Amino acid sequence: QVQLVESGGGLVQAGGSLRLSCVASGRTFSSYAMGWFRQAPGKEREFVAAITWSGGNTYYADSVKGRFIISRDNAKNTLFLQMNSLKPEDTAVYYCAATGDNYYYPQLRMAQSYDHWGQGTQVTVSS
């Protein structure tokens, strides 16, 4: 089992940056592929970015490609999402998720591929 706790959300103006963190409990973090998803009010949860267990492969939604960077520090059991050039449409609750299965693309784009979820952190981008 792994428990995930996100932090780093907040209110930022359009064009600004935020860095989200997701700390995982347990000693097997390095064996999990990780993802970030987001959910805006009235909308379905959508894929943002994912990273394989080693960090060797990363995947992004088209809407964030070139602006967001996913990374991980396996020594610190931590997943990151650096968000730059934020837009009002990035406003959502952001969730990190983990899967112990050896998934790559396209499975890592799908929420049902993940076994463990954090509680979410709110990101609000004002125009």
Side-chain angles (χ1 to χ4, degrees), residues 1 6 16 23 34 41 49 51 55-56 60 67 69-70 76-77 80 82-83 86-87 94 100 103 106 113-114 120-121:
Q1 287 289 338
E6 302 98 333
V23 178
M34 302 293 296
I51 188 167
Y60 297 93
R67 300 188 297 122
I69 301 172
I70 188 171
K76 296 183 178 180
N77 283 13
F80 301 101
Q82 177 67 44
M83 305 187 296
L86 283 161
K87 304 175 181 180
Y94 283 71
Y103 289 143
S113 297
Y114 295 85
T121 185

Side-chain angles (χ1 to χ4, degrees), residues 64-99:
V64 306
K65 199 173 294 182
R67 300 188 297 122
F68 290 11
I69 301 172
I70 188 171
S71 62
R72 66 190 297 162
D73 184 339
N74 285 344
K76 296 183 178 180
N77 283 13
T78 305
L79 175 74
F80 301 101
L81 184 68
Q82 177 67 44
M83 305 187 296
N84 302 319
S85 302
L86 283 161
K87 304 175 181 180
E89 52 263 44
D90 294 318
T91 295
V93 177
Y94 283 71
Y95 299 90
C96 68
T99 175

